Amino acid sequence: RSSSRDCAPMRRDVPVARRPEPVTAVLRASEGKWVLHMPFTTPLSLNDRTPWQVKMGKTKPWRDAAHVLTRAAKVPPCKRITVLLEYVPRDARDRDPLNLVATLKPIEDGIVDAGVIPDDSARFHTSVMPVILPKGEEFRAGSRFRVTITAHD
């Protein structure tokens, strides 16, 4: 028997895991290029100093969303890809783009989970520095994160 005292309080720093709507979140930009709109509002940060269990709880929704959206976009297996992450913050404060690497890594892992490439090693994948766009350039469907997957021969 449990009481309300036994329940942990709801965490506010972990993104809510929800299944993204593939129809509104995926856009085929051109041949060999796919655009995914991630359903989150705040990025993960390299500045977080949390135990691995908490970090895993924060990254899993990102990884799962990337997996689902990549499958919905019907991205085929590729020999080599480049993944670009673009972020539009809510305000005009200066930000360090390197902190977005903590957001990019679980996205890349989700793309691997979807079977696009065998793993995220340098043989199959090129890393690109995440881009922070000016406030106000919100992507379609109110998304703040856009991921572009580009296939290479």
Side-chain angles (χ1 to χ4, degrees):
R1 183 168 112 143
S2 65
S3 68
S4 61
R5 289 184 320 183
D6 297 331
C7 296
M10 183 179 220
R11 293 186 54 104
R12 300 269 183 221
D13 60 337
V14 178
V16 176
R18 65 179 196 260
R19 188 175 188 98
E21 178 58 48
V23 175
T24 61
V26 176
L27 174 68
R28 178 84 182 253
S30 64
E31 195 63 36
K33 187 180 276 192
W34 297 266
V35 177
L36 315 176
H37 292 273
M38 301 299 288
F40 302 103
T41 55
T42 56
L44 303 173
S45 174
L46 287 176
N47 292 331
D48 288 344
R49 304 285 184 243
T50 57
W52 68 267
Q53 299 94 333
V54 175
K55 181 180 175 192
M56 189 176 76
K58 290 181 179 182
T59 59
K60 185 164 177 28
W62 286 88
R63 185 174 184 154
D64 292 345
H67 179 201
V68 168
L69 292 172
T70 302
R71 289 280 181 135
K74 297 184 173 120
V75 181
C78 301
K79 292 179 183 175
R80 186 168 179 77
I81 63 169
T82 300
V83 178
L84 171 65
L85 172 65
E86 297 170 290
Y87 168 56
V88 177
R90 291 179 187 251
D91 55 38
R93 289 183 298 144
D94 286 336
R95 287 177 167 76
D96 181 0
L98 276 176
N99 277 332
L100 290 176
V101 171
T103 303
L104 182 59
K105 176 62 175 150
I107 292 171
E108 291 171 351
D109 290 340
I111 293 169
V112 170
D113 294 344
V116 176
I117 52 175
D119 61 55
D120 57 356
S121 67
R123 288 186 329 175
F124 305 108
H125 169 265
T126 302
S127 293
V128 177
M129 173 71 87
V131 176
I132 299 176
L133 299 173
K135 176 188 172 190
E137 288 192 32
E138 200 165 295
F139 305 122
R140 70 185 193 106
S143 173
R144 297 197 169 276
F145 296 91
R146 179 170 61 195
V147 177
T148 304
I149 303 169
T150 307
H152 306 283
D153 290 333

